[in-house]
Amino acid sequence: MNDKQLVDYGPLQSLIGTWAGDKGIDVAPDPDGSERNLYYESIVFSAIGDVTNAESQVLSVIHYRQIVKRISNHEVFHDETGYWMWDPKEQVVMHSLVIPRGVCLLAGGKYSELNDIGESVNIEVSASIFDKNWQIIQSPFMQENARTTEFHQKLIITNKILSFAETTMVEIYGKVFEHTDQNELIRQ
Ligand code: HEM
């Protein structure tokens, strides 16, 4: 690993730091249909440095930890961690995430600058059980009872604001449920 200060994090550079937001909206599966939860959260993105794979692929790496609490009772109801990785040679962004339900995934995608002076970065990544590259791994119980089949995530990052929207398709309670989350976070 190179000195983490000297690494070029490309489109991920603007993520580094601590973010918080209280405008979260979660739509989650429920035996009766769906539940809608308003939430607040914090995400800490830390620069890790870079790694070399097979002496040829160099990835710049950022670790994150996301803690999500319900506004109604301040309980943590989602806890997530993982890495964002940037492959400058292939211009690919990767997002690995783990949630403590026995589910993890590796999503891949691209980024674009929303304006020509690079004030805002747009990142989109996806994973699917049907995709040969970007895959989802889950426990036998989850495969049987609450199987995640797809994950799509979009981030828009400016200097001060990080907004994201994500959709997780879950087969649960005899149907396919569109589990969605979105929030707008402010740099702390
Ligand atoms: C801010 C992000 C997220 C929040 C706030 C959130 C919240 C929730 C909530 C409240 C439930 C219902 C739990 C219950 O009452 O049983 C749920 C279910 C579920 N979530 Fe999420 N979730 C988030 C992101 C994700 C992600 C990224 C994944 C997977 C990639 C995921 C996978 C699942 C699965 C598989 C279930 C079904 C389990 C069940 O309902 O018993 N969620 N989530």
Side-chain angles (χ1 to χ4, degrees):
M1 276 201 177
N2 282 319
D3 185 332
K4 60 187 180 190
Q5 315 286 359
L6 303 176
V7 169
D8 175 9
Y9 294 96
L12 306 180
Q13 177 73 42
S14 46
L15 284 175
I16 298 166
T18 299
W19 300 81
D22 61 3
K23 304 203 168 22
I25 303 173
D26 164 71
V27 178
D30 183 272
D32 301 326
S34 69
E35 60 177 56
R36 188 170 180 274
N37 302 292
L38 301 181
Y39 70 80
Y40 61 99
E41 69 187 305
S42 66
I43 313 181
V44 179
F45 292 92
S46 316
I48 294 293
D50 60 13
V51 295
T52 305
N53 287 327
E55 296 194 353
S56 51
Q57 183 192 48
V58 179
L59 301 177
S60 312
V61 186
I62 286 175
H63 175 259
Y64 75 97
R65 178 85 192 279
Q66 177 185 21
I67 306 281
V68 183
K69 295 180 181 174
R70 269 199 184 90
I71 287 177
S72 60
N73 58 11
H74 305 289
E75 271 177 16
V76 176
F77 75 128
H78 183 77
D79 186 323
E80 184 183 310
T81 191
Y83 296 95
W84 282 89
M85 292 151 278
W86 164 238
D87 177 347
K89 201 162 143 200
E90 299 296 328
Q91 297 276 297
V92 167
V93 176
M94 299 182 225
H95 177 195
S96 66
L97 74 81
V98 186
I99 56 168
R101 293 180 182 279
V103 178
C104 57
L105 61 82
L106 179 64
K110 298 272 177 196
Y111 88 99
S112 57
E113 307 273 348
L114 285 189
N115 68 24
D116 51 11
I117 53 166
E119 269 181 356
S120 164
V121 178
N122 180 357
I123 299 176
E124 284 189 60
V125 292
S126 297
S128 165
I129 58 166
F130 309 109
D131 192 291
K132 76 176 172 43
N133 297 319
W134 309 111
Q135 271 287 345
I136 301 164
I137 297 176
Q138 43 209 322
S139 69
F141 180 89
M142 293 305 270
Q143 291 192 48
E144 202 52 41
N145 298 286
R147 186 168 75 142
T148 297
T149 57
E150 284 180 49
F151 174 77
H152 302 282
Q153 185 179 39
K154 188 173 176 172
L155 264 60
I156 299 174
I157 315 149
T158 64
N159 197 21
K160 296 214 166 64
I161 307 275
L162 161 60
S163 50
F164 78 87
E166 62 192 38
T167 301
T168 310
M169 302 304 293
V170 184
E171 292 175 348
I172 187 167
Y173 310 130
K175 60 179 186 208
V176 181
F177 189 88
E178 199 174 307
H179 175 19
T180 58
D181 291 282
Q182 62 183 79
N183 203 356
E184 188 176 285
L185 295 91
I186 295 162
R187 186 182 287 285
Q188 300 299 291

